[in-house]
Amino acid sequence: MPSTPSDAPGPAGYSGQDPGLSRLRPVLPSPLQPAVDERFARHGVTLLLKRDDLIHADLPGNKWRKLAPNLRAAAGRPVLTFGGAYSNHLRATAAAGRLLGFRTIGVVRGDELAHRPLNPSLARCAADGMLLHFVDRRTYRAKGDPQVLAGLLSAYGECEVIPEGGSNALAAQACTELGRELRRTAGVAAVACGTGGTLAGLAAGLAPGQRALGVPVLRGGFLGDAVRDLQREAFGGPAGTWSLDERFHFGGYARTTPALHAFADDFEDRHGLPVERLYVAKLLYALTVLAGEGAFPAGCAVAAVITGRPDAPQEDQSSDSSR
């Protein structure tokens, strides 16, 4: 759903890093690369790749942008956060804890996982020092309930609590910098969406006349409300022009299909870009379809935000993932 254009500022003095985070040497602004592709060119559209996946090896893409302000707020205190069995957010938080020397606790959806060998994603979290706390799905859905949070804090002590996917007002404010980096470069800036924080900030940081497009990677139709709520918390109301296209989730969170894998393989061959399947492939597929449908006017440049890199193997991770 579109909102009223706004030139909303990010947090005062925010530069994407602080003295501790700057030791990690992020690549900011991230590179913007043209991708010559006849599927866009035949409609007079230019495709650009915003390579946020190159920001940092362990905290790539919107993980860096959303975690940096939250870690600055944590000021070295333990961090407790939430995610599914294949959560990119959990992995990035665990990596940050290892690199910067603070304790991390990951509350994982699915208590049945506690009695199984850890999948590669959770094993990486554990190897980086994250304490994994498995909860049943009903409890996980109630993770924002004060009583549930109180129980967790009682078990682990004083912690900085960061929501699922890292999406909160701080994260949305920080992601305005992504929009600023794309000013005067593209008419449309597009991003795959899980929890909505990146889209909320991206739209706010763009200039008047630009618009942000979100491609949800899960079913449910609730993301519009989530983005509006985040913008209300971060900016006091609607900020920037944005919309969602809900058609390209390929079955929901962490779901893929053979057709999506074939598309991603072909895109890799065409452009030499390693394509992450759960988010980035869905975004690029959506933009290719939309270009064919005439959704972008001739002469338009479309910037696709590449928010992460692929993991191996690229199978259907049919549990959950949080971005």
Side-chain angles (χ1 to χ4, degrees):
M1 300 291 290
S3 298
T4 304
S6 170
D7 192 11
Y14 177 74
S15 64
Q17 51 186 279
D18 63 19
L21 290 166
S22 64
R23 290 192 287 109
L24 304 184
R25 302 179 70 178
V27 176
L28 288 169
S30 61
L32 184 66
Q33 302 172 345
V36 178
D37 193 310
E38 71 273 12
R39 295 170 295 185
F40 292 81
R42 73 170 64 109
H43 302 287
V45 177
T46 300
L47 176 65
L48 305 171
L49 304 178
K50 179 62 169 166
R51 296 296 303 276
D52 267 21
D53 59 312
L54 300 179
I55 290 177
H56 190 272
D58 293 296
L59 287 78
N62 57 355
K63 294 300 129 196
W64 178 277
R65 295 188 188 274
K66 294 198 288 184
L67 272 176
N70 279 288
L71 297 182
R72 183 173 57 186
R77 293 192 302 275
V79 167
L80 183 146
T81 192
F82 305 84
Y86 290 93
S87 171
N88 295 320
H89 169 67
L90 287 184
R91 287 165 53 192
T93 303
R98 169 176 57 83
L99 292 166
L100 297 174
F102 61 87
R103 190 163 65 103
T104 58
I105 300 97
V107 180
V108 183
R109 175 177 34 238
D111 57 344
E112 72 278 3
L113 300 173
H115 308 294
R116 300 177 185 172
L118 296 179
N119 66 38
S121 184
L122 293 178
R124 181 70 262 171
C125 291
D128 281 340
M130 176 173 275
L131 193 156
L132 300 175
H133 180 98
F134 297 91
V135 298
D136 63 79
R137 292 166 190 273
R138 181 176 181 180
T139 301
Y140 191 90
R141 285 193 295 270
K143 58 188 175 294
D145 184 282
Q147 288 187 320
V148 173
L149 285 174
L152 291 168
L153 295 178
S154 175
Y156 295 110
E158 182 182 356
C159 296
E160 184 77 8
V161 178
I162 300 178
E164 181 179 37
S167 288
N168 57 12
L170 284 175
Q173 289 167 351
C175 286
T176 60
E177 191 64 23
L178 172 60
R180 290 191 186 91
E181 291 174 20
L182 288 170
R183 287 184 177 185
R184 295 179 296 278
T185 64
V188 178
V191 66
C193 301
T195 51
T198 304
L199 178 63
L202 168 63
L206 292 172
Q210 292 179 290
R211 66 181 176 94
L213 170 65
V215 176
V217 300
L218 63 158
R219 294 180 297 180
F222 60 84
L223 197 62
D225 288 340
V227 174
R228 282 185 284 272
D229 288 344
L230 282 165
Q231 289 200 330
R232 212 163 19 245
E233 294 169 15
F235 313 117
T241 301
W242 57 273
S243 61
L244 297 171
D245 194 316
E246 308 262 4
R247 295 179 292 162
F248 302 101
H249 53 70
F250 285 83
Y253 240 169
R255 302 281 183 175
T256 60
T257 67
L260 182 66
H261 283 285
F263 169 84
D265 289 341
D266 176 70
F267 199 94
E268 290 177 339
D269 290 341
R270 288 171 183 257
H271 300 293
L273 173 77
V275 176
E276 186 272 333
R277 269 38 174 188
L278 306 185
Y279 291 86
V280 176
K282 295 178 182 182
L283 169 68
L284 295 171
Y285 184 95
L287 294 180
T288 304
V289 171
L290 287 166
E293 292 176 346
F296 310 120
C300 178
V302 177
V305 181
I306 309 302
T307 49
R309 294 185 301 272
D311 295 321
Q314 288 283 350
E315 76 272 11
D316 179 0
Q317 299 170 343
S318 58
S319 295
D320 300 297
S321 179
S322 302
R323 182 168 290 269

